[in-house]
Amino acid sequence: MKRNGMIFGIVFVAIFALSFLLRFVVPTPTEDFIISVDNYSGNKSSEITVSNAGTTIATIPALSNEESKEIRKKPVDLKPGGLTISYVDKNGKKHESNMDLPDVDSTLNSTLYISFESIKKDGTMNMAITYSHGNVSVSSQE
């Protein structure tokens, strides 16, 4: 009987110690803001900036044709006004697309998906933009 109690105690301490050590070894799940961009337009895209209320959240580099990029950012608290996706075309003209996000106050566990549908010779881009956050999904065509 004492032997069973001693074995149980040793196993319990070993499991407790192992769980404590694994806590530091196994990474915790991240709750990132994911920005996923695809370019299958046939032309190279321009660099894109994603911002909120004048604060840059992420900059996506120019993508070649048939190139994809995924960027993970730490979540940020959103100010009123939603997200602004902007780029500069080959003529130096800045283009902005505003995406209003009702009832969304943070980018925690959110995904922004941008797909270039076509890019004209002057650098003007037609994009499909979708923002997903929990049960909320907002899409726009620019």
Side-chain angles (χ1 to χ4, degrees), residues 2-15:
K2 285 183 178 181
R3 191 176 197 195
N4 288 343
M6 188 172 74
I7 292 173
F8 175 76
I10 291 172
V11 170
F12 180 75
V13 169
I15 289 173

Side-chain angles (χ1 to χ4, degrees), residues 2 9 11-12 17 26 37 59 61 63 76 78 80 82 110 115 119 121 123-124 132:
K2 285 183 178 181
V11 170
F12 180 75
V26 177
V37 185
T59 302
L63 300 177
V76 295
L78 294 175
S110 301
S115 177
I119 300 174
K121 289 184 180 182
T124 306
S132 300

